[in-house]
Amino acid sequence: MTRADRGPKNIILMIGDGMGISQISAGLYSNNNRLNLERFPVIGLHKSYSGDNLITDSAAGATAFSSGVKTYNGAIGVDMDTLPVTTILEMAEAAGMPTGLVATSSIVHATPASFYAHARYRKNYEEIAADLLHTDIDLFIGGGSKFFERREMDTLNLSDALRQGGSTVASFVDTDLKDLNVENARRVAYYSADSEPLPYSQGRDYLVDASKLAVEFLHVKDSSDLGFFLMIEGSQIDWGGHSNDSDYIISEMLEFDRAIGEVLNFAQRNGETLVIVTADHETGGYAIQNGSEMGRIDGAFTSDYHTADLIPVFAYGPGAERFAGIYENTAVFDKMKLLYGLK
């Protein structure tokens, strides 16, 4: 029996950082009562707590998804004893599959970092950036060029090292993502900001285009027909929660949902792609207040940090049925690994 007979060839994991049920609801009611999330036939719930706290952070939450272990808050791709754990991206690469990461944060931020780096602390950004060069990743799009090009811990220019390794490296400073030509690229690295990208409401609008480009690039790159792995993060839904800013949450939520729509369109055409959408945790204890109306949300908050809410998991495509029910956040990794047939 081939992998295609029992599961997907491609897996696209989409993480809306900080996206709980209220964030989804606010986006829905602000968007004519419709979201692309409604196209998913299978919905489950995961338990988001970390290895040392009922309230997880993004580092531990993403490491649970990427590696299938509960670890301490702040940990990037390491277990409770700070030992490196193998990630789904690394497993896919070892199997010869193209891989990619897209984020509206810096690419060294906790969620994307947890798929390729192994660091004791999430803010060791320059150490995390160096770990990216130890992978065979085929595409990454996100902010943080300064951690690669103007480093304090050493005098290396990691972008030059990427170019020497055959990557096409571009930046928002000289190339708009829409104008990026990747047709003959071996690997692609695109910096969307020097540090952290702006919010969507302040002009950052690349997530939909980046998601579409990443899917198409990896699909073409898959010349051996092994399939690909792609993680896409809508990073700043979380930042809106930390800021207790309802409008910030909604604008980021709606951009993320448009990216979901592009990915689902590909999956429907392709027929061999599993799309999973979830969050690492909820942020802000966000609630929709009495007096809210369709198109006008009055939001309230109980916190400026994360909460311990159960988190929805949406799945579409081959193997989607495995994501129904209630389970640990580590099970997202376990299910992806099983469906890929990886060891």
Side-chain angles (χ1 to χ4, degrees):
M1 180 181 290
T2 66
R3 188 176 72 197
D5 292 328
R6 66 177 185 270
K9 187 167 72 173
N10 313 309
I11 295 180
I12 304 173
L13 173 63
M14 304 187 71
I15 300 172
D17 200 308
M19 181 189 73
I21 289 292
S22 291
Q23 285 79 359
I24 293 168
S25 302
L28 177 83
Y29 297 138
S30 298
N31 195 51
N32 297 314
N33 199 27
R34 300 297 299 176
L35 287 179
N36 284 299
L37 278 172
E38 295 179 79
R39 296 163 60 183
F40 286 82
V42 176
I43 304 173
L45 293 167
H46 78 69
K47 305 173 187 179
S48 65
Y49 65 93
S50 70
D52 69 345
N53 203 309
L54 183 63
I55 311 299
T56 191
D57 79 334
S58 294
T63 298
F65 296 153
S66 72
S67 305
V69 298
K70 295 272 191 183
T71 191
Y72 61 91
N73 286 354
I76 298 290
V78 298
D79 63 16
M80 292 289 290
D81 297 318
T82 72
L83 297 174
V85 286
T86 306
T87 73
I88 190 75
L89 185 142
E90 291 169 331
M91 290 178 179
E93 287 177 349
M97 300 163 63
T99 60
L101 296 170
V102 174
T104 54
S105 67
S106 66
I107 204 67
V108 296
H109 214 258
T111 300
S114 296
F115 285 83
Y116 67 83
H118 305 280
R120 294 187 176 192
Y121 182 50
R122 59 181 289 174
K123 291 190 177 180
N124 295 346
Y125 295 132
E126 293 186 0
E127 174 190 342
I128 289 167
D131 274 0
L132 191 53
L133 271 71
H134 299 149
T135 74
D136 292 321
I137 194 166
D138 294 272
L139 174 144
F140 70 83
I141 300 172
S145 58
K146 72 176 186 179
F147 302 112
F148 293 80
E149 298 175 351
R150 301 192 312 283
R151 297 164 58 80
E152 297 179 3
M153 68 181 291
D154 54 44
T155 59
L156 298 175
N157 185 319
L158 301 185
S159 293
D160 286 345
L162 287 166
R163 291 185 185 95
Q164 291 166 9
S167 296
T168 296
V169 181
S171 167
F172 72 103
V173 174
D174 47 40
T175 306
D176 190 282
L177 185 68
K178 293 183 176 69
D179 300 324
L180 186 63
N181 184 358
V182 301
E183 185 176 352
N184 298 312
R186 182 177 169 216
R187 292 194 175 97
V188 175
Y190 183 85
Y191 301 118
S192 57
D194 186 56
S195 182
E196 298 298 337
L198 293 170
Y200 179 83
S201 62
Q202 295 180 26
R204 186 217 75 237
D205 63 352
Y206 66 81
L207 183 60
V208 176
D209 291 329
S211 300
K212 186 175 180 180
L213 182 152
V215 168
E216 292 174 351
F217 178 77
L218 295 178
H219 183 52
V220 172
K221 183 78 174 175
D222 181 28
S223 57
S224 299
D225 206 33
L226 296 170
F228 64 79
F229 174 78
L230 172 63
M231 192 286 292
I232 299 170
E233 185 193 28
S235 316
Q236 296 194 36
I237 301 167
D238 172 67
W239 302 357
H242 284 296
S243 298
N244 284 183
D245 186 330
S246 188
D247 290 340
Y248 192 173
I249 289 171
I250 291 167
S251 61
E252 297 293 332
M253 182 68 225
L254 292 180
E255 184 197 28
F256 184 55
D257 187 69
R258 289 192 291 274
I260 291 168
E262 286 290 343
V263 169
L264 277 177
N265 291 344
F266 168 81
Q268 288 178 328
R269 294 191 306 268
N270 175 258
E272 298 181 298
T273 299
L274 170 65
V275 182
I276 307 157
V277 180
T278 189
D280 43 4
H281 52 72
E282 192 275 342
T283 304
Y286 183 45
I288 299 173
Q289 292 279 82
N290 185 30
S292 298
E293 300 173 353
M294 287 288 183
R296 190 188 64 78
I297 299 299
D298 180 13
F301 299 86
T302 64
S303 172
D304 61 3
Y305 193 61
H306 311 155
T307 67
D309 289 2
L310 292 176
I311 298 298
V313 183
F314 302 81
Y316 171 90
E321 67 281 355
R322 292 184 178 272
F323 291 85
I326 302 176
Y327 39 83
E328 301 290 346
N329 55 0
T330 53
V332 173
F333 166 85
D334 295 333
K335 295 171 193 294
M336 291 192 296
K337 179 183 173 186
L338 176 68
L339 289 166
Y340 264 148
L342 295 173
K343 296 181 179 179

